[in-house]
Amino acid sequence: MLKNLYLKTLKLAEKKRANYFLAFISFIESSIFPIPPDVLIIPMILAKPHRAFKIAAIATISSVIGGMFGYFIGFFLWNEIGESILNAYHLTDDFLIIKDKYTEIGNLAVLVASITPFPYKVITLFSGFVEMNLMSFLLISIIGRGFRFFLIAGILYYLGEKAKYFIEKYLNLLFVLFCFLLILGFYII
């Protein structure tokens, strides 16, 4: 089943409108959507390796803009929207406990969430809620998201067919590893 999904995504990644879809997914993932854009970035780069860094740039820009949207949801609409999104992840009580501590660790939290599989949207919402410095939030998000997506692009670009072969051979193991990293990200934060 996972292999079929991978092959379908790879085929969709070759389509002309894939960049728009990636931009949309990267945007909404940063504020409300649970699936990270990596699931599109990887097949898109494998399908068109010569566009690896353009794909990374699209994901970075869209993700940071989406992160700003999440920040503003947390800042202006916490009671109406933000809290319910955190409730969906069962994290509201934990975040309310560390609200005061967040002023000390906010920059690190944004960086870690930008780079790791930890849901970046949780940090974008909370950063707005605690009124983290907007310029710090923006700069760290650009650095973290850019690092993550350009690292993926660089690895896949330089390894080319070897990366594609590796991913296809170890797809199930990589999926389990990704899930483990996601859980670890939740634990660390």
Side-chain angles (χ1 to χ4, degrees):
M1 183 177 102
L2 193 57
K3 183 83 166 179
N4 274 346
L5 184 59
Y6 167 76
L7 293 173
K8 285 180 184 180
T9 307
L10 197 58
K11 195 169 214 106
L12 289 172
E14 296 174 355
K15 302 237 183 248
K16 212 172 199 178
R17 296 181 196 173
N19 288 344
Y20 297 111
F21 190 62
L22 173 63
F24 176 72
I25 293 298
S26 297
F27 175 84
I28 64 170
E29 180 272 337
S30 296
S31 50
I32 56 173
F33 193 62
I35 300 173
D38 309 62
V39 299
L40 286 176
I41 293 170
I42 293 169
M44 286 177 71
I45 293 171
L46 292 175
K48 296 184 178 181
H50 62 282
R51 297 174 47 101
F53 299 105
K54 180 178 181 179
I55 291 166
I58 291 168
T60 300
I61 292 166
S62 302
S63 182
V64 170
I65 293 170
M68 295 294 293
F69 182 66
Y71 180 97
F72 289 123
I73 289 173
F75 189 86
F76 293 110
L77 301 171
W78 177 260
N79 293 332
E80 294 82 3
I81 299 173
E83 192 170 7
S84 62
I85 293 172
L86 284 182
N87 280 338
Y89 288 97
H90 308 289
L91 294 172
T92 304
D93 293 337
D94 295 333
F95 272 117
L96 293 176
I97 291 169
I98 66 162
K99 179 183 176 191
D100 295 330
K101 183 88 171 141
Y102 196 80
T103 55
E104 297 172 26
I105 65 161
N107 291 339
L108 179 61
V110 172
L111 184 63
V112 168
S114 295
I115 295 171
T116 67
F118 182 83
Y120 175 61
K121 73 200 76 19
V122 171
I123 296 299
T124 67
L125 294 166
F126 198 66
S127 294
F129 172 64
V130 299
E131 300 179 18
M132 179 182 183
N133 179 285
L134 183 59
M135 293 313 293
S136 294
F137 173 81
L138 181 59
L139 180 63
I140 294 166
S141 292
I142 291 169
I143 292 167
R145 293 311 253 185
F147 176 80
R148 175 178 171 169
F149 299 140
F150 278 90
L151 178 65
I152 292 169
I155 290 169
L156 294 176
Y157 177 80
Y158 291 109
L159 293 179
E161 285 298 316
K162 291 177 187 175
K164 187 175 182 179
Y165 173 77
F166 180 82
I167 289 169
E168 289 173 0
K169 184 174 181 180
Y170 298 106
L171 186 62
N172 290 332
L173 178 64
L174 291 171
F175 179 74
V176 170
L177 180 62
F178 176 78
C179 291
F180 172 75
L181 290 174
L182 182 62
I183 294 167
L184 183 62
F186 270 109
Y187 178 76
I188 289 171
I189 296 292

